[in-house]
Amino acid sequence: MNTTSLAIRVGELNAVADSVGEVISTLNAASGDLGPGEITAAVTEVIDQWQQNLGKMRDKIGTIADNVRGAVANYESVEQGGRDRMMALADETVAEQLVQGLVRNAPDVQVANQHSRQGQGGSTGGGRRHR
């Protein structure tokens, strides 16, 4: 999921909503007395409809933005959970390998210790091993 792309789209939607808002403001400012007839009433009706639709559009953009934020948070949470599980597995694997290495090397360490003790004047005749 490209969360950056989603966030950019939300920003673009907000920019469009801002542009529509500016058009509405311009129409509203220019809609004073447009002369005889129903022109002023018609422009006012258009402005009202656009404002209502802009409100709905901003609500939808807000919902989209909330959904994007939720998706990003969920994505980050899942990603962190995967990282945590992998770290725990790596730690467990390293610990197992260390223990296995110690267990595997324990007889060698015992023999080396015996040789060391024998080399210090032990009872086997000057540190030599007889077979």
Side-chain angles (χ1 to χ4, degrees):
M1 166 182 6
N2 187 342
T3 55
T4 301
S5 179
L6 291 173
I8 289 170
R9 297 297 87 76
V10 170
E12 290 171 348
L13 291 172
N14 277 319
V16 169
D18 291 344
S19 293
V20 171
E22 289 174 16
V23 170
I24 292 170
S25 293
T26 302
L27 280 175
N28 199 21
S31 69
D33 185 8
L34 298 175
E38 300 295 319
I39 294 175
T40 302
V43 171
T44 302
E45 185 178 333
V46 168
I47 291 170
D48 290 344
Q49 287 177 353
W50 280 30
Q51 284 178 328
Q52 289 174 1
N53 290 335
L54 179 60
K56 291 176 187 175
M57 183 174 155
R58 287 195 185 275
D59 290 344
K60 289 178 183 178
I61 292 169
T63 299
I64 292 168
D66 290 344
N67 290 339
V68 168
R69 281 189 286 275
V72 168
N74 288 339
Y75 177 81
E76 289 171 351
S77 176
V78 169
E79 183 179 345
Q80 185 62 44
R83 185 181 192 296
D84 293 346
R85 283 189 297 278
M86 186 55 76
M87 289 299 294
L89 176 63
D91 290 346
E92 182 180 321
T93 301
V94 168
E96 283 179 14
Q97 289 176 352
L98 287 172
V99 169
Q100 288 174 358
L102 289 172
V103 168
R104 223 181 0 257
N105 293 328
D108 295 338
V109 171
Q110 290 174 351
V111 169
N113 285 341
Q114 287 173 352
H115 285 151
S116 174
R117 278 189 240 117
Q118 290 171 354
Q120 296 174 359
S123 61
T124 60
R128 288 191 175 170
R129 238 175 119 187
H130 299 285
R131 293 179 193 225

